[in-house]
């Protein structure tokens, strides 16, 4: 944990979290003060102040706004099935375990949890998990990693992390769907200082995933392909592959 904390602090010296970019839609149910000029400042204000609105919203309209408009996940449509899914997810948060069905939608549902209880839960996003797993694998004694949701980042899709981990020959395992989200939130809180909100670290890892993480993979990972066949057999294989 100490090595991991040192690495995160070193990265913070290089990458400025205030440059975090995530546009807030005009349909935002909470007016953002004009003095909050940067995207980072606006998102921090939203995280601090939307919780009272979303917690009191019995229609779930704010929940869907967070998922669809702010989060950009238009596929999570408002319907009776998803209404029940959101309600059940909020109940499961209290129990400390998630069902497989709700964990399968964790990229969407964790956004709701993060805005309702920003000091307790953070967004379980594909980019964040990609970055966090790389940090854990390389700068932590623990080799227990987090299942990564399907993502949309073209930069990250170039380097499949599970393939890299498998080829490394090192031991690792993944948390189950029941515990992954809660263990993730617990870890982010542990890695955040007492005076720092956990969502700031989540935003930071989200920001460096397509930049520093991808660059670190490019600089530290190499692949050597060994051929067990002799040259003539290899030539035949190439010829057949070209047919």
């Amino acid at each position: 944990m100490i090595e991991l904390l040192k690495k995160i602090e070193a990265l913070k010296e290089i990458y400025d979290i205030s440059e975090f970019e995530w546009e807030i839609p005009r349909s935002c149910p909470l007016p953002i003060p004009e003095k909050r000029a940067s995207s980072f400042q606006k998102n921090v204000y939203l995280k601090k102040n939307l919780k009272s609105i979303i917690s009191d919203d019995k229609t779930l309209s704010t929940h869907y706004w967070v998922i669809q408009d702010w989060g950009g996940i238009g596929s999570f449509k408002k319907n009776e099935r998803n209404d029940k899914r959101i309600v059940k997810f909020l109940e499961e948060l209290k129990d400390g375990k998630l069902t497989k069905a709700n964990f399968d939608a964790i990229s969407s549902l964790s956004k709701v949890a993060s805005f309702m209880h920003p000091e307790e839960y953070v967004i379980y996003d594909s980019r964040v998990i990609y970055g966090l797993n790389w940090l854990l694998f390389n700068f932590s004694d623990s080799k227990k990693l987090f299942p990564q949701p399907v993502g949309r980042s073209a930069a990250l899709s170039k380097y499949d992390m599970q393939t890299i981990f498998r080829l490394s020959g090192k031991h690792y395992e993944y948390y189950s769907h029941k515990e992954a989200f809660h263990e993730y939130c617990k870890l982010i809180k542990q890695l955040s200082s007492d005076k720092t909100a956990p969502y700031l670290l989540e935003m930071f890892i989200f920001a460096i995933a397509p930049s520093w993480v991808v660059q670190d993979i490019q600089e530290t990972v190499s692949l050597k392909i060994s051929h067990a066949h002799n040259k003539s057999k290899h030539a035949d294989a190439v010829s057949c592959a070209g047919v």
Side-chain angles (χ1 to χ4, degrees):
M1 184 70 76
I2 294 176
E3 184 182 0
L4 180 56
L5 283 167
K6 287 182 178 179
K7 186 60 183 180
I8 290 173
E9 290 304 313
L11 288 170
K12 287 181 179 178
E13 294 294 323
I14 304 172
Y15 295 90
D16 188 356
I17 184 59
S18 65
E19 296 180 5
F20 174 86
E21 290 291 334
W22 191 264
E23 184 179 351
I24 296 178
R26 293 182 178 180
S27 58
C28 181
L30 176 73
I32 308 293
E34 292 184 5
K35 64 179 180 179
R36 309 284 175 174
S38 71
S39 176
F40 171 73
Q41 291 174 329
K42 291 176 181 177
N43 276 281
V44 169
Y45 182 86
L46 188 66
K47 189 72 72 170
K48 288 181 177 180
N49 296 281
L50 188 67
K51 55 186 177 182
S52 60
I53 296 176
I54 192 171
S55 297
D56 295 336
D57 188 353
K58 305 303 181 184
T59 68
L60 303 181
S61 61
T62 312
H63 302 63
Y64 281 101
W65 179 87
V66 165
I67 295 171
Q68 298 176 342
D69 298 86
W70 182 85
I73 306 180
S75 58
F76 196 93
K77 303 294 184 182
K78 180 168 175 51
N79 52 47
E80 185 177 354
R81 176 175 174 269
N82 282 334
D83 285 356
K84 291 179 178 178
R85 181 180 249 181
I86 291 174
V87 172
K88 186 172 182 180
F89 170 73
L90 296 177
E91 293 173 351
E92 291 175 357
L93 285 181
K94 301 174 185 177
D95 296 334
K97 292 182 180 180
L98 299 185
T99 56
K100 180 69 164 57
N102 276 339
F103 185 74
D104 286 344
I106 195 61
S107 291
S108 298
L109 297 173
S110 64
K111 291 176 174 59
V112 172
S114 178
F115 276 99
M116 290 185 75
H117 307 283
E119 304 302 327
E120 188 69 23
Y121 302 113
V122 283
I123 296 172
Y124 196 106
D125 176 89
S126 179
R127 267 173 63 168
V128 181
I129 298 303
Y130 187 94
L132 181 61
N133 278 345
W134 184 251
L135 288 168
L136 287 170
F137 194 78
N138 290 283
F139 305 99
S140 171
D141 292 333
S142 173
K143 290 300 180 280
K144 200 157 187 181
L145 308 174
F146 297 93
Q148 183 184 338
V150 176
R152 296 171 291 176
S153 172
L156 305 190
S157 64
K158 294 178 181 178
Y159 302 98
D160 182 71
M161 198 160 285
Q162 290 194 49
T163 300
I164 294 172
F165 292 160
R166 282 196 296 268
L167 292 175
S168 73
K170 297 180 181 179
H171 171 73
Y172 67 95
E173 57 183 310
Y174 287 95
Y175 286 102
S176 74
H177 67 269
K178 296 179 181 179
E179 60 182 346
F181 179 60
H182 287 84
E183 290 297 325
Y184 160 72
C185 293
K186 185 189 301 182
L187 177 60
I188 293 295
K189 287 167 66 178
Q190 288 176 347
L191 294 173
S192 303
S193 65
D194 294 337
K195 297 181 180 179
T196 304
Y199 57 78
L200 293 176
L201 179 57
E202 173 254 308
M203 292 166 69
F204 179 75
I205 299 176
F206 178 91
I208 67 170
S211 54
W212 176 81
V213 174
V214 170
Q215 180 181 342
D216 199 50
I217 290 173
Q218 292 171 337
E219 294 176 352
T220 60
V221 177
S222 61
L223 178 64
K224 180 181 179 181
I225 300 176
S226 299
H227 295 285
H229 303 294
N230 59 38
K231 290 185 178 180
S232 61
K233 289 183 178 179
H234 177 59
D236 290 341
V238 172
S239 176
C240 288
V243 173

